[in-house]
């Protein structure tokens, strides 16, 4: 059974068409991430699910019930906001208890649930404090506590980690993942951060211009993107795109370089394509090329250390591409290396339609 | 040439600053002191030349007279009128401000139009209001003045509360809506506590506006709900002025405002400066 079903959802703000016909079904217990660039409609979609935005057309069903026109409080949802949305005049305990008090839950039950949620999030010692006395990470824990205490059918997260620093973001990401595993509840999570999307999601819905560009498991989207946009959006560093032409089982790039396609990869002769290569699939060559791999000489233009890896830029096919080597594999710019491209992982894109062939 | 050491120069500057401050305080506080002093003086002391700077013995006769003659009741009238009108103006004004801010009721310009009502000179409508009140039978009644003061305070309350409500993060309200609150509960449980300082600051000013009104109180009252501002003028005569009564009545009229402001000073300062610094 699905806990959330969205059918033909549209949202207009005056002349601006923010959400353009979205169909989405989220099965019970699944963690779905809505990801996309700014202005793609992901937050509007989440707010429409929450009932904070009226939809222009379409329906929203939660738990098998049509809630398209139901008030937010009648939807059996809990939501975590980007800015925590804690009440500054209430202490942590009362902040967490707020939703239960609003629903007239008995105080003994409130006490039990607040303490259980606080225990789960490791904030028992903070219950008497006020939000202004908490760090960003602690505030976000309280905000999450306020959502989980409600025991709602559907949990919504609107970029909850955006205001945290990098280290804390990693910790909280793990925390949210753990909570999902413990609670087993259906969660819809909005982010513009593809790493959050990849690490948290059971399924990712990648949005663009108010539509779902592709929906699927994180690795599906990463390894088998449907469009150039999906291929470019997911992955860091970004995928390299090189224009070329198919010539009998090879891709001929602008500078005349020819890369042999792996056997079985079908593409009509003479067709213009864009070759997509992930930096992770371009390595420093070792011994002989494995089947489906191509080896080439290259000159390093720039090396950027990240600690565990080094991102190197080098010219190929008339433009500069990025590859990712092991940390000590590059010494200086200008170094001549031999690179190994895993063509089995390459994607071919039709430049007319931007769709992956 | 020997120069003055730096710390000496700093001290001189400080002394000069304090002297200026003391002088200013004396200039501003003296009239209030004089008002209080007269209210406790005997008629002989009031008109003595050279002036008696402080009463030889504190005597409450001037106040006793006011209470005996029933004049002090007018302070009670002012208290009822100002409190009731402040209460209603705050309730209706805050609700209206919430609606204007969050639902954009009446478009973008309605709030400005409402505020423009405040710019109108009250005397311009004094006569029409008088005629209307005569027709309604509201002259010299509590309800008449309470409604009028409420109506006059509303633009100010709406304008001020609109500013305070705009400063409340929308997420706090949305979160409450999802957590199970209705719009009214959001107003009560989120907006009021969040805008508490603003509410108090606005209420104090609204109270003081109504408290100090003279024009409508003069036009629309006779004997039943005369306010203290009107009552004070009864002591100015063509032949002589009853200074002792004027002073005592003015002190009685000052005390409620003084107590209100002193009690709510903490909120007043915060309310007035709210929104000045974005957190």
């Amino acid at each position: 059974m699905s806990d959330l079903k969205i059918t033909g959802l549209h949202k207009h703000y005056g002349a601006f068409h923010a959400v353009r016909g979205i169909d989405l079904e989220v099965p019970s217990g699944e963690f779905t991430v809505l990801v996309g660039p700014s202005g793609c409609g992901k937050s509007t979609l989440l707010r429409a699910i929450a009932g904070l935005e009226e939809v222009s057309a379409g329906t929203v069903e939660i738990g098998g019930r049509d809630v398209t026109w139901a008030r937010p409080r009648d939807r059996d949802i809990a939501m975590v906001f980007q800015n925590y949305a804690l009440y500054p005049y209430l202490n942590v305990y009362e902040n967490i208890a707020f939703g239960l008090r609003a629903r007239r839950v008995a105080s003994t039950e409130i006490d039990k649930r607040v303490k259980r949620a606080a225990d789960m999030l490791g904030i028992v010692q903070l219950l008497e404090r006020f939000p202004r006395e908490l760090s960003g990470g602690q505030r976000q824990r309280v905000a999450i506590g306020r959502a989980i205490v409600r025991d709602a059918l559907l949990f919504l997260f609107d970029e909850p980690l955006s205001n945290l620093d990098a280290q804390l973001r990693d910790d909280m990401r793990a925390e949210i993942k753990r909570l999902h595993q413990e609670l087993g509840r259906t969660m819809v999570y909005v982010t513009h951060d593809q790493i959050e999307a990849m690490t948290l999601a059971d399924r990712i819905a990648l949005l663009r211009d108010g539509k779902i560009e592709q929906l699927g498991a994180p690795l599906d989207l990463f390894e088998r993107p449907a469009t150039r946009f999906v291929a470019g959006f997911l992955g860091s560093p970004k995928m390299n795109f090189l224009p070329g032409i198919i010539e009998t089982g090879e891709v001929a790039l602008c500078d005349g370089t020819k890369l042999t396609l792996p056997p079985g990869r079908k593409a009509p002769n003479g067709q213009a394509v864009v070759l997509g290569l992930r930096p992770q699939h371009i390595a420093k060559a070792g011994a002989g090329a494995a089947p489906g791999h191509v080896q080439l000489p290259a000159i390093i233009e720039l090396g950027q250390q990240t600690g565990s890896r080094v991102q190197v830029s080098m010219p190929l096919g008339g433009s500069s591409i990025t590859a990712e080597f092991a940390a000590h594999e590059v010494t200086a710019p200008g170094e001549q290396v031999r690179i190994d491209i895993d063509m089995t992982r390459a994607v071919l894109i039709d430049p007319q339609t931007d769709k992956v062939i | 040439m020997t120069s003055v050491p730096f710390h000496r120069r700093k001290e001189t500057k400080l002394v000069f600053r304090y002297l200026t401050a003391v002088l200013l305080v004396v200039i501003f506080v003296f009239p209030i002191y004089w008002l209080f002093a007269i209210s406790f003086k005997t008629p002989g002391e009031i008109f003595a030349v050279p002036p008696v700077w402080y009463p030889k013995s504190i005597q409450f006769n001037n106040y006793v007279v006011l209470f005996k003659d029933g004049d002090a009741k007018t302070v009670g009238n002012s208290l009822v009128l100002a409190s009731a009108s402040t209460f209603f103006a705050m309730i209706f004004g805050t609700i209206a401000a919430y609606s204007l801010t969050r639902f954009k009721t009446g478009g973008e310009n309605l709030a400005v139009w409402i505020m423009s009502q405040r710019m109108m000179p009250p005397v311009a409508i004094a006569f029409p209001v008088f005629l209307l009140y005569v027709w309604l039978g509201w002259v010299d009644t509590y309800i008449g003045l309470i409604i009028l003061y409420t109506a006059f305070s509303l633009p100010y309350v709406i304008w001020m509360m609109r500013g305070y409500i705009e400063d409340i993060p929308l997420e706090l309200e949305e979160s409450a809506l999802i957590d199970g609150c209705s719009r009214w509960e959001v107003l009560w449980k989120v907006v009021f506590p969040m805008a508490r300082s603003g509410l108090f600051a606005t209420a104090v000013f609204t109270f003081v506006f109504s408290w100090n009104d003279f024009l409508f109180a003069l036009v629309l009252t006779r004997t039943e709900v005369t306010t203290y501002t009107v009552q004070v003028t009864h002591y100015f005569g063509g032949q002589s002025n009853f200074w002792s009564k004027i002073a005592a009545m003015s002190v009685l009229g000052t005390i409620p405002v003084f107590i209100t402001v002193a009690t709510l000073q903490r909120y007043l300062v915060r309310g007035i400066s709210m929104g000045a610094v974005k957190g």
Side-chain angles (χ1 to χ4, degrees):
Chain A
M1 186 195 141
S2 63
D3 277 349
L4 172 67
K5 189 177 177 192
I6 297 166
T7 317
L9 194 102
H10 287 263
K11 175 68 190 173
H12 295 267
Y13 293 105
F16 179 61
H17 200 167
V19 175
R20 301 162 178 252
I22 284 193
D23 297 300
L24 177 68
E25 209 164 319
V26 181
S28 192
E30 189 184 85
F31 198 120
T32 298
V33 174
L34 307 177
V35 68
S38 297
C40 70
K42 56 191 187 297
S43 281
T44 308
L45 178 60
L46 193 80
R47 291 171 60 79
I49 297 168
L52 298 172
E53 297 282 351
E54 273 185 18
V55 303
S56 307
T59 58
V60 178
E61 287 172 43
I62 294 174
R65 197 163 54 91
D66 186 343
V67 294
T68 313
W69 299 104
R71 290 177 298 186
R73 65 172 175 170
D74 298 329
R75 295 186 177 214
D76 202 5
I77 52 169
M79 186 160 169
V80 179
F81 290 84
Q82 182 177 351
N83 297 324
Y84 323 125
L86 300 181
Y87 306 109
Y89 49 89
L90 298 178
N91 66 15
V92 169
Y93 185 98
E94 287 302 324
N95 261 290
I96 297 176
F98 187 91
L100 300 175
R101 291 206 195 285
R103 285 167 196 274
R104 319 268 189 284
V105 175
S107 56
T108 47
E109 177 68 13
I110 291 177
D111 195 57
K112 206 170 76 188
R113 287 215 234 163
V114 170
K115 286 184 174 151
R116 195 174 59 204
D119 191 40
M120 226 174 197
L121 292 157
I123 51 171
V124 175
Q125 73 286 4
L126 306 177
L127 286 175
E128 295 303 316
R129 292 206 203 160
F130 282 85
R132 63 177 174 276
E133 300 166 330
L134 306 177
S135 69
Q138 289 170 332
R139 285 180 199 183
Q140 196 51 279
R141 274 171 205 272
V142 177
I144 292 171
R146 202 172 60 189
I148 62 175
V149 81
R150 289 260 324 280
D151 208 16
L153 186 66
L154 180 65
F155 287 83
L156 307 175
F157 295 84
D158 190 6
E159 308 215 28
L161 308 184
S162 300
N163 287 358
L164 304 179
D165 61 50
Q167 179 61 48
L168 210 52
R169 206 180 305 162
D170 290 351
D171 295 346
M172 285 306 292
R173 210 169 55 210
E175 186 88 24
I176 291 172
K177 181 113 184 162
R178 184 180 63 79
L179 272 176
H180 177 244
Q181 281 168 3
E182 272 179 39
L183 299 171
R185 287 302 166 117
T186 312
M187 296 185 177
V188 180
Y189 187 107
V190 160
T191 179
H192 61 270
D193 184 324
Q194 45 128 342
I195 297 182
E196 267 174 42
M198 292 294 290
T199 49
L200 286 171
D202 292 325
R203 264 193 327 162
I204 293 178
L206 206 165
L207 274 79
R208 181 194 188 190
D209 296 336
K211 286 182 185 164
I212 294 180
E213 185 90 350
Q214 192 173 354
L215 176 70
L219 271 182
D220 266 350
L221 266 68
F222 186 76
E223 292 174 347
R224 287 177 287 281
T227 64
R228 176 175 176 157
F229 177 79
V230 176
F233 190 86
L234 295 177
S236 176
K238 282 169 92 81
M239 183 181 263
N240 300 293
F241 294 110
L242 301 168
I245 291 174
I246 301 288
E247 285 180 5
T248 53
E250 290 180 327
V251 182
L253 303 177
C254 296
D255 63 350
T257 309
K258 290 187 176 174
L259 303 173
T260 311
L261 287 168
R265 179 64 70 93
K266 285 181 189 141
N269 235 353
Q271 184 184 352
V273 292
V274 173
L275 176 70
L277 296 171
R278 290 214 181 272
Q280 295 79 6
H281 301 148
I282 306 170
K284 196 166 178 182
H293 287 231
V294 174
Q295 292 195 345
L296 296 169
I299 298 168
I300 305 298
E301 282 175 338
L302 184 70
Q304 297 179 80
Q305 274 294 347
T306 60
S308 57
R309 313 283 291 165
V310 57
Q311 293 170 13
V312 293
S313 306
M314 61 189 81
L316 181 72
S319 54
S320 181
I321 64 159
T322 304
E324 209 173 60
F325 293 177
H328 297 283
E329 283 182 341
V330 175
T331 52
E335 186 183 339
Q336 293 219 355
V337 291
R338 213 171 154 70
I339 57 170
D340 179 290
I341 302 171
D342 183 356
M343 289 297 286
T344 61
R345 315 289 286 273
V347 292
L348 293 175
I349 299 157
D350 183 339
Q352 301 291 322
T353 61
D354 270 348
K355 291 209 166 117
V356 171
I357 301 166
Chain B
M1 189 183 119
T2 52
S3 63
V4 184
F6 179 70
H7 70 275
R8 287 295 296 276
R9 260 192 297 165
K10 219 173 148 188
E11 275 171 16
T12 319
K13 216 170 157 185
L14 207 64
V15 168
F16 180 72
R17 235 185 245 178
Y18 272 107
L19 279 176
T20 316
V22 168
L23 187 71
L24 284 173
V25 169
V26 168
I27 290 172
F28 282 104
V29 172
F30 183 76
I32 299 168
Y33 163 74
W34 201 240
L35 185 75
F36 275 77
I38 291 175
S39 76
F40 294 116
K41 284 178 184 174
T42 59
E45 284 174 325
I46 295 171
F47 297 105
V49 179
V52 175
W53 295 107
Y54 54 90
K56 292 283 175 290
S57 64
I58 303 282
Q59 55 91 27
F60 292 92
N61 202 31
N62 300 331
Y63 292 96
V64 173
V65 171
L66 291 183
F67 280 95
K68 225 183 245 173
D69 295 352
D71 294 6
K73 185 183 158 238
T74 58
V75 176
N77 286 342
S78 286
L79 203 60
V80 169
L81 295 173
S83 307
S85 60
T86 302
F87 177 77
F88 291 121
M90 289 309 295
I91 299 267
F92 296 130
T94 306
I95 294 169
Y98 184 73
S99 170
L100 284 169
T101 314
R102 293 297 188 230
F103 308 125
K104 306 280 174 235
T105 309
E108 293 294 328
N109 296 324
L110 183 61
V112 181
W113 181 82
I114 288 172
M115 190 56 195
S116 72
Q117 304 306 297
R118 180 91 195 170
M119 314 295 174
M120 179 183 58
V123 72
I125 58 157
F127 190 58
V129 167
F130 174 71
L131 292 180
L132 178 72
Y133 271 39
V134 169
W135 183 67
L136 289 168
W138 280 1
V139 173
D140 211 19
T141 61
Y142 281 120
I143 188 169
L145 275 180
I146 288 171
I147 287 176
L148 193 76
Y149 287 160
T150 304
F152 260 90
S153 303
L154 272 173
Y156 173 76
V157 175
I158 292 171
W159 188 261
M160 293 301 289
M161 289 315 298
R162 190 170 155 258
Y164 294 124
I165 291 169
E166 267 172 3
D167 281 350
I168 301 172
L170 198 57
E171 283 107 333
L172 288 185
E173 293 176 35
E174 292 179 337
S175 179
L177 285 175
I178 289 173
D179 274 349
C181 293
S182 65
R183 275 285 171 189
W184 290 107
E185 285 172 317
V186 166
L187 201 63
W188 183 246
K189 290 180 177 172
V190 180
V191 175
F192 281 177
M194 283 299 289
R196 194 172 53 169
S197 299
L199 271 170
F200 282 128
T202 310
V204 167
F205 280 106
T206 308
F207 180 84
V208 173
F209 289 145
S210 304
W211 183 260
N212 288 340
D213 172 68
F214 174 70
L215 177 70
F216 287 106
L218 182 69
V219 176
L220 299 175
T221 63
R222 294 284 174 272
T223 52
E224 291 305 309
V225 293
T226 312
T227 63
Y228 94 93
T229 51
V230 175
Q231 185 61 37
V232 170
T233 61
H234 292 171
Y235 306 137
F236 293 95
Q239 312 297 318
S240 62
N241 297 327
F242 298 95
W243 285 110
S244 53
K245 278 188 172 184
I246 292 170
M249 185 53 99
S250 299
V251 167
L252 285 182
T254 310
I255 285 171
V257 179
F258 182 78
I259 292 172
T260 312
V261 173
T263 320
L264 300 176
Q265 195 184 20
R266 189 161 58 104
Y267 296 109
L268 263 182
V269 175
R270 214 185 301 156
I272 293 165
S273 59
M274 238 164 80
V277 180
K278 288 276 175 199

